[in-house]
C-alpha cells in the first residue's frame, strides 16, 4: 500500500525521491507526490493522480531543487484518488508538509474541532487533518514542532507512519510510526527514510527500524533523536540490511512476476539452506529448537494469515495434522481478530505473512499474545513488524518479492511449513524414522523438480492465448491440492481480472456444476495421490456436461490425460509435497493469460503488495 521515501542531506533530493518512488511502486498505489524545500527556501509540493511517471512529467519544468524532501505513493482510503487528495499535504500556513501511511480513525471529530477553530481544508483526507492539528498545537501551545507532533500523536487513534518537513527548519525531518512501518537509513553524511528498505538499499545498508509509537527528529547537523510519545529518549539499534540492489531489478525478464516464478528453485534452496541437513538426515529450525517443549506439548496450533499466505496456511494444516498429529485451525486474520476467539495458553499461534506488515495479521497476533498464546512468525521481510511482535519464528529468506501476486514467497512459506511439520513430527515421534528420512531426502529434490516444471513455460504461454476470451474459470483439487486450487484461482483473478473460483473437487456438485458448459475452462489438479480415483470421477462429471478440462497430472499419467482437453505433467513426489509442484504451472498459466490480455501484471489495479490498513 502507500509508500514513503524521504531524504535529508547534501545531495539533490529530487532524483533520490523519484527513484525511491519507483522502487515503491510494487506496493500498489493510485497517485504520487513530492515535497521539497527548494534552494531558495520555498516549500513546494507537487502531486498527480496515477503513476510516478505522471509526477515526473508534471515536474519537468518546475523548480526541483532542494536537499531535503519527502515523497509518497498513495493507495486511496479517505477520498478518491486525485491530485488534491494525493500526499504530501500542507498545513494551513503552508510551512509544513506531511506524508502519511495508515488511517487516522478519529479524523472526523478532530476535523470538526479544527474547523471550529477556523481551519479550512482542501482535501477529503484524514492526513490533512493530522498536519492541520500539528500546526494548530504548535500555534496554540507556542511549542517546537517535535513537541507539537508528539502531542498530536497522543490524541490520534489509528495507524500511521509519517514524515514532516518544515520550511522554517530546512535541515530537519520529523518521522513517527504506529502500526505502519518506517525505516531510517544512515548514510555517510545524510539520512534516508522509507516505508521499506527498497528506496534506501542503494545508498546505505545501515538502518534503524523505528519501533511502535516512536518519533524521531532527523537533523543534518545534530543527527538523530528518538523518543516515545511520552518524550522518553531511546538509543536506536543500527541494523545491517541483507538485500542487494540486483534483487530489485528485473534482470532481463519482462515482469518481476515471471522473474520470481523462475527464481523458485534457487529461492527454495535459500529457504532450506542450513535447515535441511541431508548428510545427517536432520531438520534444524532454530525457532523450533529453542522452543521445543512448547511445540511438543502444544494443545493446538492456530494459523492466522491473509490472501496467498492463507492458502499456504491451509496446506500447513494438512501437513502438520498428518505428520505431527497436532490439531491445526486456519483463520483469516481479519475474522480472528474481531470474534473473541478461544485461546488457551498452551496454544501456538503461527502468523504467516510475506510482508510481515499485514495489518489484520499483526492485530490477530497482538490479540493472541494478550490471551497468553505463544507466537511464531513465518515472514519474508526481515525486520518487519510481525517477526518483531512474535516470540519466535522462521524467515523464508527469498529476498524481496516485487510482483504483487505472490509466487516465490508462497512456495517458500510451504517449504518452511514442511520443515516445521517435519521437526515437530520428529520431536513428537508421530512418524517413523524411516519415513522422516525419506521425506527429508524427497524435500531436497524439490528445487530440481521445479526446474523441470519451468520447462513447460513456452508450452503454457502458447496455450494461454486461447483463454483471453474466458469470463470465468473454475479450479478444482482434493486433499493437498484443494488449497492449490484456491491459490490458482486467486492468481488468475489478481492479475488477469478474469473471475475464477477454487473449490474442493467434491463440492462441485453442490453448486459450481451448474456453471459448466463448453465455454467454461475447469482446471483440475489431478496428481496421483490419495484421492486420485475420486478426482477422476469428478473429471468424468465435468466431461459429461461438455466442460473444458485442463488438468495438472503426474508425469506418466494416461488416465486423466485421456479424458482432459489439455494436460500439464509434473514430476511425482510425496503426497504432502505435491502442492509446491502443482502450483507452478498454475502460476505460469495465470501469468501468460494476463500478459496475453495486456494486463499490468506486476501492479494489477486496486491491489497492494503490503496491506497495511485493515
Ligand atoms: C496482499 C497481497 C497478496 C498477499 C496478501 C497477504 O493481498 O497482494 O499477495 O498474499 O496481501 O500478504 P502478506 O504480506 O501478509 O503475506
Amino acid at each position: 500500500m502507500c509508500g514513503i521515501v524521504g531524504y535529508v542531506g547534501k545531495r539533490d533530493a529530487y532524483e533520490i525521491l523519484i527513484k525511491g518512488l519507483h522502487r515503491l511502486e510494487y506496493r500498489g498505489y493510485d497517485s504520487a507526490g513530492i515535497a521539497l524545500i527548494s534552494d531558495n527556501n520555498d516549500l513546494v509540493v507537487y502531486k498527480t493522480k496515477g503513476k510516478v511517471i505522471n509526477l515526473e512529467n508534471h515536474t519537468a519544468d518546475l523548480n526541483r531543487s532542494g536537499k531535503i524532501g519527502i515523497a509518497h505513493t498513495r493507495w486511496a482510503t479517505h477520498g478518491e484518488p486525485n491530485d488534491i487528495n494525493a500526499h504530501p499535504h500542507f498545513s494551513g500556513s503552508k510551512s509544513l508538509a506531511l506524508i502519511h501511511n495508515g488511517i487516522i480513525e478519529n479524523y472526523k471529530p478532530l476535523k470538526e474541532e479544527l474547523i471550529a477553530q477556523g481551519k479550512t481544508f482542501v482535501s477529503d483526507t484524514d492526513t490533512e487533518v493530522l498536519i492541520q492539528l500539528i500546526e494548530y498545537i504548535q500555534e496554540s501551545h507556542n511549542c517546537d514542532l517535535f513537541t507539537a507532533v508528539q502531542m498530536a500523536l497522543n490524541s490520534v487513534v489509528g495507524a500511521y507512519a509519517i514524515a514532516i518537513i518544515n520550511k522554517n527548519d530546512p535541515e530537519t525531518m520529523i518521522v513517527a510510526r504506529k502500526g505502519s512501518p518506517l525505516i531510517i537509513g544512515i548514510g555517510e553524511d545524510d539520512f534516508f527514510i522509507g516505508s521499506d528498505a527498497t528506496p534506501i538499499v542503494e545508498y546505505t545498508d545501515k538502518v534503524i527500524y523505528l519501533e511502535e509509537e516512536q518519533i524521531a527528529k532527523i537533523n543534518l547537523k545534530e543527527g538523530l533523536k528518538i523518543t516515545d510519545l511520552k518524550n522518553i529518549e531511546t538509543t536506536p539499534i543500527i541494523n545491517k540490511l541483507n538485500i542487494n540492489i540486483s534483487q530489485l531489478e528485473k534482470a532481463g525478464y519482462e515482469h518481476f512476476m515471471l522473474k520470481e516464478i523462475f527464481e523458485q528453485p534457487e529461492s527454495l534452496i535459500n529457504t532450506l539452506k542450513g535447515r535441511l541437513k541431508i548428510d545427517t538426515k536432520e531438520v534444524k529450525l532454530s525457532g523450533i529448537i529453542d522452543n521445543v517443549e512448547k511445540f511438543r506439548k502444544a494443545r493446538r496450533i492456530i494459523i492466522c494469515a491473509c490472501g496467498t499466505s492463507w492458502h499456504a496456511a491451509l496446506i500447513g494444516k494438512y501437513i502438520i495434522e498428518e505428520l505431527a498429529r497436532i490439531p491445526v485451525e486456519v483463520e483469516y486474520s481479519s475474522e480472528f481478530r474481531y470474534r473473541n476467539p478461544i485461546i488457551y495458553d498452551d496454544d501456538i499461534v503461527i502468523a504467516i505473512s510475506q510482508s510481515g506488515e499485514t495489518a489484520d495479521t499483526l492485530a490477530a497476533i497482538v490479540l493472541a499474545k494478550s490471551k497468553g498464546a505463544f507466537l511464531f512468525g513465518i515472514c519474508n521481510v526481515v525486520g518487519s513488524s510481525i517477526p518483531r511482535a512474535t516470540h519466535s519464528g522462521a524467515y523464508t529468506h527469498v529476498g524481496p518479492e516485487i510482483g504483487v501476486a505472490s509466487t516465490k514467497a508462497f512456495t517458500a512459506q510451504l517449504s518452511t511449513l514442511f520443515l516445521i511439520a517435519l521437526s515437530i513430527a520428529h520431536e513428537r515421534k508421530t512418524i517413523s524414522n524411516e519415513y522422516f528420512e525419506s521425506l527429508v531426502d524427497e524435500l531436497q529434490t524439490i528445487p530440481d523438480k521445479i526446474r523441470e516444471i519451468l520447462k513447460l513455460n513456452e508450452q503454457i504461454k502458447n496455450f494461454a492465448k486461447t483463454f483471453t476470451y474466458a469470463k470465468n474459470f473454475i479450479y478444482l483439487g482434493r486433499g493437498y491440492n484443494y488449497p492449490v486450487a484456491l491459490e490458482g484461482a486467486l492468481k488468475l483473478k489478481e492479475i488477469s481480472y478474469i473471475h475464477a473460483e477454487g473449490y474442493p473437487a467434491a463440492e462441485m456438485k453442490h453448486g459450481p456444476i451448474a456453471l459448466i458448459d463448453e465455454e467454461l475452462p475447469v482446471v483440475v489438479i489431478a496428481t496421483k495421490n490419495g484421492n486420485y480415483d475420486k478426482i477422476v470421477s469428478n473429471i468424468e462429471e465435468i466431461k459429461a456436461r461438455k466442460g473444458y478440462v485442463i488438468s495438472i497430472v503426474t508425469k506418466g499419467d494416461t488416465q486423466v490425460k485421456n479424458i482432459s482437453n489439455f494436460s500439464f505433467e509434473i514430476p511425482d513426489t510425496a503426497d504432502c509435497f505435491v502442492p509446491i509442484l502443482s502450483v507452478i504451472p498454475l502460476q505460469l498459466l495465470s501469468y501468460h493469460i494476463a500478459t496475453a490480455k495486456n494486463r499490468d501484471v506486476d501492479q494489477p489495479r486496486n491491489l497492494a503488495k503490503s496491506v497495511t490498513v485493515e
Side-chain angles (χ1 to χ4, degrees):
M1 277 184 170
C2 307
I4 282 179
V5 54
Y7 177 74
V8 195
K10 297 187 171 148
R11 301 189 237 182
D12 283 335
Y14 180 85
E15 294 304 328
I16 294 170
L17 297 177
I18 288 291
K19 207 167 192 186
L21 288 182
H22 281 298
R23 296 264 185 240
L24 293 167
E25 285 189 293
Y26 81 99
R27 295 169 68 95
Y29 71 108
D30 38 50
S31 51
I34 191 165
L36 298 159
I37 301 177
S38 67
D39 289 346
N40 53 355
N41 231 27
D42 265 351
L43 176 57
V44 293
V45 169
Y46 308 128
K47 38 196 199 172
T48 51
K49 183 182 167 183
K51 297 280 180 187
V52 175
I53 187 75
N54 300 356
L55 180 67
E56 288 180 84
N57 293 337
H58 171 71
T59 53
D61 299 322
L62 301 173
N63 182 358
R64 311 193 302 194
S65 67
K67 310 280 187 260
I68 179 168
I70 51 179
H72 191 258
T73 49
R74 173 176 186 250
W75 190 90
T77 58
H78 294 68
E80 63 173 282
N82 60 27
D83 296 357
I84 293 172
N85 289 331
H87 301 200
H89 287 280
F90 272 129
S91 60
S93 72
K94 298 203 166 174
S95 301
L96 309 175
L98 166 78
I99 52 178
H100 166 222
N101 290 358
I103 293 178
I104 305 299
E105 287 170 12
N106 60 339
Y107 80 101
K108 273 200 178 134
L110 290 173
K111 188 170 181 174
E112 278 159 20
E113 262 178 59
L114 289 165
I115 289 172
Q117 297 301 327
K119 297 279 180 190
T120 54
F121 291 83
V122 293
S123 78
D124 306 319
T125 63
D126 50 333
T127 302
E128 192 187 2
V129 175
L130 182 56
I131 192 64
Q132 295 269 26
L133 175 67
I134 290 167
E135 188 167 80
Y136 173 70
I137 292 174
Q138 208 188 352
E139 290 163 356
S140 54
H141 288 73
N142 197 17
C143 59
D144 61 45
L145 182 59
F146 191 77
T147 310
V149 175
Q150 267 177 345
M151 288 170 74
L153 294 180
N154 274 307
S155 60
V156 304
V157 177
Y160 52 79
I162 57 167
I164 303 170
I165 52 174
N166 178 4
K167 181 181 167 175
N168 301 316
D169 186 0
E171 291 193 335
T172 300
M173 181 184 296
I174 293 177
V175 298
R177 77 157 276 181
K178 180 186 174 193
S180 282
L182 200 118
I183 301 179
I184 303 171
I186 320 278
E188 286 292 310
D189 50 7
D190 46 10
F191 296 92
F192 305 81
I193 61 153
S195 40
D196 62 41
T198 57
I200 297 177
V201 63
E202 204 159 335
Y203 310 102
T204 179
D205 62 357
K206 290 198 215 68
V207 295
I208 293 165
Y209 298 101
L210 212 59
E211 300 285 349
E212 281 296 272
E213 301 201 346
Q214 278 187 341
I215 158 166
K217 181 176 173 185
I218 306 169
N219 180 277
L220 200 53
K221 295 205 182 75
E222 296 157 17
L224 265 180
K225 172 186 163 186
I226 301 186
T227 75
D228 64 12
L229 294 184
K230 296 193 183 87
N231 202 29
I232 296 171
E233 205 164 333
T234 50
T235 314
I237 299 165
I238 299 179
N239 299 269
K240 195 171 175 341
L241 279 179
N242 64 350
I243 54 175
N244 62 57
I245 201 71
S246 66
Q247 293 173 308
L248 306 176
E249 312 282 353
K250 285 190 203 150
Y253 286 91
E254 201 181 331
H255 294 102
F256 279 107
M257 183 180 175
L258 191 62
K259 176 186 174 222
E260 285 156 7
I261 291 174
F262 271 83
E263 270 173 6
Q264 289 176 109
E266 215 46 53
S267 62
L268 285 192
I269 292 171
N270 287 335
T271 308
L272 301 176
K273 201 185 285 170
R275 295 164 164 177
L276 189 72
K277 311 257 182 198
I278 293 303
D279 38 353
T280 50
K281 301 274 184 280
E282 279 177 293
V283 173
K284 283 193 175 288
L285 264 183
S286 57
I288 303 268
I289 295 169
D290 297 346
N291 302 285
V292 73
E293 277 313 301
K294 291 216 156 32
F295 281 91
R296 208 179 272 148
K297 294 190 182 138
R299 175 197 296 228
R300 179 177 61 158
I301 292 175
I302 300 170
I303 313 184
C304 293
C306 306
T308 288
S309 299
W310 190 86
H311 297 153
L314 215 49
I315 295 166
K317 169 186 168 74
Y318 283 36
I319 187 166
I320 294 170
E321 289 193 346
E322 183 187 325
L323 300 185
R325 309 305 296 157
I326 300 178
V328 180
E329 288 170 21
V330 175
E331 298 269 1
Y332 284 114
S333 306
S334 55
E335 289 297 313
F336 181 80
R337 65 180 287 197
Y338 285 120
R339 64 167 183 77
N340 195 13
I342 298 165
I343 300 168
Y344 304 106
D345 54 13
D346 48 1
D347 277 344
I348 292 176
V349 173
I350 298 182
I352 306 184
S353 173
Q354 186 287 129
S355 62
E357 297 294 350
T358 302
D360 281 321
T361 304
L362 188 56
I365 58 170
V366 169
L367 172 76
K369 198 185 225 172
S370 73
K371 292 183 180 244
F374 178 78
L375 306 182
F376 189 94
I378 302 177
C379 297
N380 189 39
V381 178
V382 176
S384 54
S385 301
I386 292 171
R388 290 141 68 78
T390 47
H391 297 108
S392 177
Y395 281 116
T396 48
H397 291 308
V398 294
E401 187 179 65
I402 308 289
V404 161
S406 185
T407 52
K408 67 172 180 177
F410 176 69
T411 46
Q413 289 165 348
L414 294 188
S415 350
T416 310
L417 286 161
F418 296 160
L419 294 171
I420 291 172
L422 282 167
S423 330
I424 313 176
H426 198 54
E427 283 301 332
R428 289 167 56 94
K429 304 197 189 319
T430 45
I431 55 175
S432 69
N433 275 344
E434 295 70 41
Y435 186 40
F436 174 82
E437 289 180 9
S438 72
L439 289 176
V440 166
D441 285 340
E442 181 56 27
L443 190 48
Q444 196 215 7
T445 68
I446 297 293
D448 276 343
K449 289 183 176 173
I450 294 180
R451 266 187 206 106
E452 200 179 324
I453 300 171
L454 291 172
K455 290 183 189 149
L456 295 172
N457 186 41
E458 277 306 305
Q459 194 190 347
I460 295 178
K461 183 176 177 180
N462 292 330
F463 173 71
K465 291 180 193 137
T466 329
F467 295 103
T468 45
Y469 78 89
K471 296 259 180 298
N472 296 289
F473 261 73
I474 286 184
Y475 286 69
L476 301 175
R478 279 174 174 266
Y480 281 108
N481 281 326
Y482 154 54
V484 178
L486 299 181
E487 176 60 9
L490 178 66
K491 275 307 72 100
L492 186 69
K493 71 185 132 191
E494 281 180 312
I495 57 170
S496 73
Y497 317 149
I498 294 174
H499 174 245
E501 294 300 334
Y503 291 95
E507 276 299 300
M508 183 181 68
K509 286 197 268 305
H510 302 286
I513 201 164
L515 302 174
I516 291 174
D517 60 19
E518 299 91 328
E519 301 272 287
L520 182 80
V522 184
V523 179
V524 190
I525 309 143
T527 51
K528 282 225 156 102
N529 44 33
N531 296 308
Y532 183 75
D533 291 341
K534 307 277 177 208
I535 205 134
V536 172
S537 308
N538 295 137
I539 297 175
E540 295 287 7
E541 289 155 10
I542 302 165
K543 292 304 294 177
R545 286 156 186 88
K546 302 198 167 21
Y548 187 98
V549 173
I550 305 158
S551 59
I552 309 297
V553 299
T554 309
K555 205 170 174 180
D557 178 287
T558 49
Q559 194 178 357
V560 169
K561 241 177 157 174
N562 288 341
I563 52 172
S564 304
N565 297 75
F566 210 95
S567 293
F568 296 106
E569 286 191 348
I570 62 169
D572 198 8
T573 185
D575 281 9
C576 58
F577 299 149
V578 165
I580 204 166
L581 299 184
S582 58
V583 75
I584 309 285
L586 303 186
Q587 294 172 343
L588 287 169
L589 183 65
S590 309
Y591 172 79
H592 288 301
I593 293 177
T595 48
K597 287 175 79 76
N598 280 324
R599 300 301 192 211
D600 189 352
V601 171
D602 284 335
Q603 293 163 36
R605 69 181 180 205
N606 302 336
L607 294 183
K609 183 73 187 157
S610 175
V611 180
T612 49
V613 298
E614 59 174 292

